[in-house]
């Protein structure tokens, strides 16, 4: 398992680990107001090649994520996740051979790196990132940064097979009261979890979700609700581990928070 190493002062990512997140927003100003009030984030706005805005989100002067404006105003917002790979072209071809539907073919993003995006065979959208000057988030597993990624899927076994074949993940099954829960490693590092979409969620589509670490889960939920968010899963304890909650922001994007994990 190779490491993507971009210099002594930059974070390195093992291939197959999640390295970046982007919020696609139909109302970037409203999204910025919500997240900078909820978390101690600052923003730096730039412009993409097509003229739309691109906002880099920082915590303590470290890049943690980004936001871009959706082509159609007032579209429901959504968080997208990126996985680090060594060669995005090779990985994209492998994804297609394993049944993925390519949404954005491999493309170069100036000197920052190269990316592609696809739907996996169960319908979940995810992106791959081959680093250039930009390796991804400058901090992980710290308060107000990405802490975990989890796939809710319509076909647990098919999803597990796809990502293990694509990324070389190893798998372990974790006892859980709510049904099968799978955890995956990229080399020595835990990369993600997966579980089946419960019947109580009706016709929910497969999708990747991301968790941000917070100091106190209940306080963050109360703050989010005061700012206009909706609680999807209230603060829930995992015995001996920690507590998590899932929210929907006022522009429609789903995200989770957790502490203690």
């Amino acid at each position: 398992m190779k490491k993507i190493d971009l210099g002594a002062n930059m974070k390195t990512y093992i291939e197959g680990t999640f390295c970046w997140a982007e919020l696609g927003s139909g109302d970037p100003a409203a999204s910025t107001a919500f997240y900078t009030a909820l978390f101690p984030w600052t923003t730096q706005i730039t412009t993409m090649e097509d003229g739309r805005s691109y906002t880099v989100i920082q915590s303590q002067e470290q890049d943690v994520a980004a936001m871009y404006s959706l082509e159609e105003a007032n579209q429901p917002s959504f968080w997208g996740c990126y996985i680090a790979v060594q060669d995005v072209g090779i990985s994209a071809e492998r994804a297609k051979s394993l049944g993925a539907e390519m949404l954005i073919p491999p493309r170069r993003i100036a000197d920052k790196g190269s990316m592609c995006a696809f739907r996996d065979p169960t319908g979940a959208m995810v992106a791959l990132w081959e680093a250039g000057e930009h390796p991804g988030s400058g901090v992980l597993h710290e308060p107000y940064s990405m802490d975990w990624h989890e796939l809710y899927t319509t076909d647990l076994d098919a999803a597990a097979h796809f990502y293990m074949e694509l990324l070389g993940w190893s798998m372990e099954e974790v006892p859980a009261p709510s049904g099968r829960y799978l955890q995956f490693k990229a080399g020595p590092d835990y990369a993600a979890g997966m579980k089946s979409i419960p019947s109580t969620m009706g016709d929910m589509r497969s999708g990747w979700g991301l968790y941000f670490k917070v100091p106190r889960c209940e306080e963050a939920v109360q703050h989010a609700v005061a700012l206009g968010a909706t609680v999807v899963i209230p603060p829930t304890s995992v015995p001996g581990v920690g507590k998590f909650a899932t929210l929907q922001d006022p522009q429609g994007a789903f995200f989770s928070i957790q502490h203690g994990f």
Side-chain angles (χ1 to χ4, degrees):
M1 186 68 61
K2 294 182 179 179
K3 247 186 189 181
I4 299 168
D5 192 343
L6 295 152
N9 296 322
M10 288 189 176
K11 184 168 183 62
T12 58
Y13 284 91
I14 291 175
E15 185 170 31
T17 55
F18 283 86
C19 63
W20 190 237
E22 288 178 337
L23 175 65
S25 176
D27 189 341
S31 293
T32 298
F34 172 79
Y35 285 100
T36 55
L38 179 61
F39 300 142
W41 284 351
T42 57
T43 59
Q44 295 183 347
I45 301 175
T46 61
T47 303
M48 296 191 293
E49 294 176 357
D50 62 6
R52 288 182 291 150
S53 66
Y54 190 83
T55 301
V56 177
I57 299 167
Q58 294 187 321
S59 177
Q60 298 183 3
E61 300 183 351
Q62 293 284 340
D63 294 353
V64 294
M67 176 175 60
Y68 63 93
S69 54
L70 295 172
E71 293 183 0
E72 295 183 22
N74 299 316
Q75 276 185 261
S77 300
F78 64 91
W79 280 100
C81 306
Y82 285 75
I83 303 172
V85 295
Q86 286 284 335
D87 188 311
V88 74
I90 291 174
S91 295
E93 287 302 316
R94 183 154 186 77
K96 287 193 292 185
S97 74
L98 292 166
E101 174 194 358
M102 198 59 54
L103 302 175
I104 302 174
R107 55 177 292 193
R108 185 82 180 166
I109 311 297
D111 295 328
K112 303 299 183 182
S114 300
M115 60 83 67
C116 72
F118 56 80
R119 292 193 187 278
D120 71 26
T122 76
M125 186 172 68
V126 71
L128 304 180
W129 181 250
E130 176 190 337
E133 292 182 353
H134 183 68
S137 180
V139 59
L140 295 175
H141 313 308
E142 298 291 337
Y144 314 115
S145 69
M146 293 187 298
D147 201 36
W148 188 238
H149 292 79
E150 196 168 73
L151 177 67
Y152 275 83
T153 178
T154 56
D155 191 330
L156 189 59
D157 291 326
H161 173 76
F162 172 81
Y163 288 98
M164 287 192 293
E165 289 295 313
L166 176 63
L167 301 167
W169 284 353
S170 59
M171 182 184 78
E172 60 186 42
E173 189 159 342
V174 180
S178 58
R180 294 176 67 200
Y181 189 84
L182 306 181
Q183 286 189 161
F184 298 86
K185 282 184 172 182
D189 296 345
Y190 281 101
M194 288 184 195
K195 55 187 173 183
S196 296
I197 297 172
S199 57
T200 54
M201 291 187 176
D203 58 355
M204 174 181 171
R205 296 176 62 180
S206 297
W208 279 101
L210 78 164
Y211 288 71
F212 295 107
K213 190 169 188 174
V214 295
R216 289 169 294 278
C217 192
E218 291 93 341
E219 289 183 15
V221 168
Q222 291 171 5
H223 193 187
V225 170
L227 293 168
T230 301
V231 178
V232 179
I233 300 175
T236 302
S237 294
V238 178
V241 182
K243 187 172 289 187
F244 75 94
T246 299
L247 301 159
Q248 185 177 27
D249 75 23
Q251 284 67 53
F254 294 91
F255 68 101
S256 298
I257 56 175
Q258 66 182 29
H259 79 259
F261 288 80

